[in-house]
Amino acid sequence: MLTDRRILLVVSGSIAAYKVLDLARLLRKASATVHAVLTAGGARFVTREALAGITGQRVHDDLWAAEAEIGHIRLARLPDLVVVAPASADLLAKMAHGLADDLASTILLATRAPVLVAPAMNPAMWEHPATRANMAALVARGVRVVGPGLGAMAEPESGPGRLAEPPEILAAVEAALAPPGESPHAPGATLSPAGRPLAGRHALVTSGPTHEPIDPVRYIANRSSGKQGHAIAGALAALGARVTLVSGPVAVPDPPGVTVVRVETAREMLAACEAALPADIAVMAAAVADWRVAREAAQKLKKQPGAAAPSLEMALNPDILATLSRHAQRPGLVVGFAAETERVVQHATEKRLRKGCDWIVANDVSGGVMGGERNAVHIVTAEGVEDWPELPKAAVAERLALRIAQTLA
Ligand code: C5P
């Protein structure tokens, strides 16, 4: 219950604004007092009269209204929590940069109350580096975030950006107003929906390259940076999963809230993965070496004057993805990766069947993907192929985590 709690509900412009009437109704039902502020964009989608009718309060929308001169300061001081729903890309940008050119943005700059935002926008806008930077700045400042959720992934313009459902926003409001210690989420700690759809699930993620020793000082490796796998581990944790990240040698930092097991070779990686079972989800993003040197030299190989270069005999490494896909304790959803340089989807489709996993995330690595910041992937499942646009690796990770949550729901 939210008895005696005062919520300032800021409604900005989005097609999803119609849902805010439902949210206002739920807040009132939970005994909160709700004062609404409407931006010019918000007013295009929901009327002041409808909001006033549901909240039982006058709706505020004009910074320059006769009585508003002190009004915005009074409104900023009034609430126990400011809820921005829907939060448009524009209003989030204003918040991130401290702009104050209308009533809503002025209140958001003037308030000392905690703030919860429920973003809603087109997926391309949500995934744009500008919005990501704005969100990172807001989260770092302690702003709480609920959603956005995933639209229908089959649509061409689909992806994250859908306003969280009103009951989900209500749960986030209750969490934000819960006495310290009782709230399951620290302010600003995550970008996750309040429902934390992967709570109670264990996810196993592999990341990075493996190093296969030749002798005590030399090894065979590849160019994997671990950026994509680590981002996926972080995104799954942000949705509430308990995550075990089995990582080869990488320079990227550990994602927050994740248990990291460090390994070097493919055989160590397999042993660490099996030790981490049971798991509900396995995402095998590591670039595991297919071969190792059959006999690792105990001493450093020496260059002998006049002698020919040594030749290395190779042995096949275990296939971790195929092993987990056919394991007695097989995770419910097994996701593999396929780095291809040609006929990407065809090879990935064949690989999905050969390895026995549920999905393959296929990417074209003919460009600078390995070690780079961006990735264009295709998700190959039993149902078909989803082509995702080229995105920053963090956005690919967030989409994949949301897609996994949607599938397990
Ligand atoms: O067969 P390929 O190496 O292209 O398959 C890539 C997928 O298989 C990735 O998900 C990778 O993590 C996994 N893999 C593995 N163990 C291996 C080789 C690849 O788990 N030995």
Side-chain angles (χ1 to χ4, degrees), residues 43-407:
R44 299 225 161 218
F45 297 95
V46 55
T47 65
R48 322 165 40 129
E49 289 72 20
L51 267 173
I54 291 177
T55 60
Q57 307 284 346
R58 202 182 129 232
V59 173
H60 309 270
D61 57 6
D62 187 0
L63 181 59
W64 306 111
E67 81 283 32
E69 211 163 310
I70 51 151
H72 64 271
I73 300 297
R74 192 180 56 79
L75 281 171
R77 288 204 186 122
L78 163 102
D80 296 303
L81 180 70
V82 181
V83 179
V84 187
S88 66
D90 176 64
L91 186 52
L92 291 167
K94 282 183 182 163
M95 288 171 70
H97 294 277
L99 298 186
D101 65 350
D102 63 1
L103 183 61
S105 55
T106 303
I107 290 171
L108 284 158
L109 192 60
T111 192
R112 293 201 170 95
V115 177
L116 169 72
V117 298
M121 66 197 73
N122 164 283
M125 291 166 82
W126 173 250
E127 286 168 336
H128 193 284
T131 305
R132 300 199 74 81
N134 291 337
M135 290 307 299
L138 293 173
V139 166
R141 254 176 246 160
V143 169
R144 290 165 177 268
V145 186
V146 53
L150 214 49
M153 290 305 290
E155 303 299 322
E157 258 295 343
S158 65
R162 192 175 48 80
L163 180 68
E165 293 303 320
E168 224 184 315
I169 302 175
L170 175 68
V173 169
E174 285 171 337
L177 290 173
E182 283 179 33
S183 169
H185 334 288
T190 73
L191 289 178
S192 73
R196 292 168 64 84
L198 292 176
R201 308 276 192 176
H202 179 210
L204 169 63
V205 179
T206 66
S207 182
T210 62
H211 284 184
E212 308 296 333
I214 298 169
D215 67 18
V217 297
R218 302 184 180 95
Y219 57 84
I220 295 172
N222 60 63
R223 296 187 194 282
S224 169
S225 63
K227 282 181 190 157
Q228 187 64 81
H230 276 55
I232 291 166
L236 290 166
L239 294 188
R242 176 168 75 82
V243 179
T244 305
L245 171 63
V246 180
S247 175
V250 294
V252 289
D254 291 354
V258 162
T259 303
V260 183
V261 182
R262 288 182 182 76
V263 298
E264 293 215 341
T265 67
R267 286 183 294 175
E268 288 168 7
M269 189 173 272
L270 174 60
C273 285
E274 290 191 292
L277 295 177
D280 304 285
I281 304 152
V283 181
M284 305 282 101
V288 184
D290 291 317
W291 305 283
R292 66 178 180 276
V293 177
R295 275 172 297 279
E296 178 189 349
Q299 305 300 333
K300 183 183 170 193
L301 298 179
K302 289 284 187 201
K303 189 165 63 174
Q304 306 291 358
S311 53
L312 297 174
E313 191 193 332
M314 308 295 277
L316 203 57
N317 262 336
D319 190 312
I320 303 167
L321 175 61
T323 306
L324 291 191
S325 294
R326 302 195 167 91
H327 204 275
Q329 287 182 289
R330 183 193 196 277
L333 182 68
V334 181
V335 182
F337 274 68
E340 305 286 352
T341 53
E342 40 137 22
R343 288 187 289 163
V344 175
V345 169
Q346 185 196 327
H347 285 155
T349 306
E350 290 160 9
K351 189 168 291 182
R352 194 185 78 82
L353 298 172
R354 195 166 65 242
K355 302 258 188 173
C357 58
D358 301 298
W359 301 352
I360 286 277
V361 179
N363 57 353
D364 187 338
V365 291
S366 52
V369 167
M370 276 194 144
E373 298 301 330
R374 297 174 72 81
N375 210 351
V377 304
H378 313 270
I379 311 295
V380 179
T381 71
E383 284 75 46
V385 181
E386 293 168 16
D387 302 311
W388 291 4
E390 187 185 294
L391 295 165
K393 286 180 175 174
V396 170
E398 185 190 75
R399 270 194 187 214
L400 188 65
L402 284 166
R403 185 73 176 77
I404 289 170
Q406 188 188 51
T407 300

